[in-house]
């Protein structure tokens, strides 16, 4: 199977390498800048069959709310990951807050892709990330227009 694809803003791609794949990434243009987040989530078991999935999550679906984009069961139209993990993304307007609840034993990772946000007393900017543990819920407030990723990890 050969996949030759372009990833656009707001798209999520999941690749399961499993028993082996050849993979490369590059910017097709000489002039346009590319900002790509490559995230690795190790599967719960080894030796899975190679597979691929890509979905678009338009800004309307994630504007000022956390939108589920990856989950173990493909809930809410998310891509399926082979791990007890959920990924939510949000495009926040300045002054907007979102809250994420966590299961009792779960933790989270907040990654700021763009903008500035506040998590409790912490001010975070583009490229910053923080682990969250021992909290039943947490609130993220955008100080500027921002894009965030929230990983819920069991």
């Amino acid at each position: 199977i050969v996949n030759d694809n372009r990833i656009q803003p707001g798209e999520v791609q999941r690749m399961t390498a499993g028993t082996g794949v050849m993979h490369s990434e590059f910017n097709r243009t000489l002039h346009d800048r590319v900002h790509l987040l490559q995230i690795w989530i190790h599967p719960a078991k080894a030796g899975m069959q190679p597979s691929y999935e890509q979905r678009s999550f338009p800004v309307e679906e994630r504007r000022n709310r956390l939108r589920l984009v990856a989950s173990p069961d493909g809930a809410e139209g998310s891509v399926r990951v082979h791990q007890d993990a959920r990924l939510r993304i949000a495009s926040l307007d300045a002054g907007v807050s979102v809250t994420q609840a966590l299961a009792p034993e779960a933790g989270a990772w907040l990654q700021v892709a763009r903008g500035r946000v506040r998590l409790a007393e912490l001010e975070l900017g583009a490229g910053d990330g923080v682990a969250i543990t021992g909290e039943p819920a947490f609130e993220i407030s955008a100080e500027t227009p921002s894009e965030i990723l929230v990983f819920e990890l069991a």
Side-chain angles (χ1 to χ4, degrees):
I1 297 175
V2 174
N3 284 312
D4 181 3
N5 213 340
R6 292 181 183 189
I7 299 175
Q8 302 297 325
E11 290 185 338
V12 173
Q13 181 186 85
R14 190 263 309 147
M15 179 179 63
T16 300
T19 55
V21 296
M22 291 178 59
H23 175 74
S24 67
E25 296 167 357
F26 59 93
N27 183 352
R28 291 181 182 252
T29 73
L30 298 175
H31 309 293
D32 296 333
R33 293 186 49 178
V34 172
H35 183 136
L36 172 72
L37 293 178
Q38 185 178 70
I39 300 157
W40 293 71
I41 298 174
H42 291 267
K45 64 180 184 177
M48 302 180 78
Q49 289 297 311
S51 62
Y52 170 89
E53 187 177 4
Q54 185 169 325
R55 288 253 359 238
S56 177
F57 298 94
V59 71
E60 299 81 31
E61 293 183 16
R62 52 193 162 85
R63 165 92 49 222
N64 296 325
R65 73 178 197 98
L66 288 164
R67 168 62 161 103
L68 184 67
V69 298
S71 66
D73 57 0
E76 300 175 31
S78 62
V79 299
R80 187 179 304 262
V81 293
H82 305 290
Q83 184 56 269
D84 191 3
R86 285 154 191 80
L87 170 58
R88 292 174 175 85
I89 60 175
S91 297
L92 302 174
D93 295 329
V96 172
S97 296
V98 292
T99 300
Q100 177 63 51
L102 292 176
E105 299 301 317
W109 180 265
L110 167 63
Q111 185 70 45
V112 182
R114 182 175 63 84
R116 295 201 72 69
V117 301
R118 181 167 295 283
L119 173 70
E121 308 84 39
L122 295 174
E123 186 173 312
L124 305 165
D128 290 341
V130 63
I132 301 154
T133 58
E135 297 291 333
F138 57 94
E139 182 179 72
I140 305 153
S141 301
E143 299 197 343
T144 66
S146 301
E147 304 242 355
I148 60 169
L149 296 89
V150 176
F151 298 84
E152 183 182 353
L153 309 165

